[in-house]
Amino acid sequence: MVLHIQNIKQCLHYRAYRTLVCITILFVGYTEISAQDQNKIDSLQHEINKQGENYSRLYRMASYYADYDNRKAYEYIKKCYRHAALSGDSLKIIKSGFVMAEILRRIEKGDSALTVFNFILPISRRNKHDDYVSYATNGIGMILTLKARYQEALQYLLESYEIRKQTGNQQEIGVVLNNIGLAFYKMKSYQKALPYFEESIKIKKSMHISHNIDVDYVNSGICKTFLQRYDQAIEDIWTGIEIAKSEGSSETLISGYYSLGVTYFELKQLKKAQAYFEK
């Protein structure tokens, strides 16, 4: 199929933005449950059938399913959250509320997720649970980014970043750096976005963290494309693609090839662009 130039122009920036969204905010869909986890789930379900539902059992069940099936996880965490609310235990409300908001976000119920995040955030602040303040502010920031409320999003994301710097969890710092970069990217502030992606790469390399570093490289590359640093962009994107191949990350591969298509289109190498767009 021949890609017409006008059609590419119309979709270029939209698809490049979608590339970053899809690989920066990776939603867990449904994957096959391992035999070991299935045994845990069956054992816990037997316990629930025998002894009844309580906060702990429902929370554990939701946590198991969160890695495999968001819909089932939501069924359990909704009941768990109800138990927490009835108990009046603030920490239980915060913990179950956070998991529920994250699952709602994953199943694309952003408004509902935002409502829950906004409910648990002041409780977390009041009780000085800084870890959950950082989780909630990051979650709110991600949702506001998708709603194109970028300045508000950055306020929350930068707060999360400051808290995470104090706790020193490098992997969590890397996550929020990516999300800050995404917000700036969406504002077309590529010069501001790029350092956040690059810092995330630097942290992960220094700590030997492989999780989502392929994402960081592709994000860095597409920013460099729009900053007309094409050779560096291609190098970063290819690095991300090679890591994605070794990690078996099909989403990042698709995004990486599309980002190469965008880059070669900007270079007016249309045959190369078309080849990568069609991968």
Side-chain angles (χ1 to χ4, degrees), residues 206-253:
S206 69
M207 301 295 294
H208 304 289
I209 298 170
S210 63
H211 182 66
N212 278 358
I213 196 168
D214 53 343
V215 170
D216 297 312
Y217 273 112
V218 174
N219 286 353
S220 170
I222 197 66
C223 277
K224 288 174 181 176
T225 295
F226 292 120
L227 291 170
Q228 300 181 347
R229 292 161 58 179
Y230 300 118
D231 289 344
Q232 293 175 18
I234 291 167
E235 182 180 351
D236 277 2
I237 294 166
W238 267 116
T239 301
I241 287 171
E242 292 302 321
I243 295 170
K245 285 179 181 177
S246 66
E247 297 287 329
S249 177
S250 58
E251 281 192 67
T252 309
L253 275 177

Side-chain angles (χ1 to χ4, degrees), residues 154-170:
L154 282 168
Q155 289 177 10
Y156 285 103
L157 291 169
L158 288 167
E159 180 181 356
S160 182
Y161 178 43
E162 289 303 317
I163 294 170
R164 293 178 190 213
K165 281 199 298 184
Q166 292 171 21
T167 60
N169 186 315
Q170 297 300 303

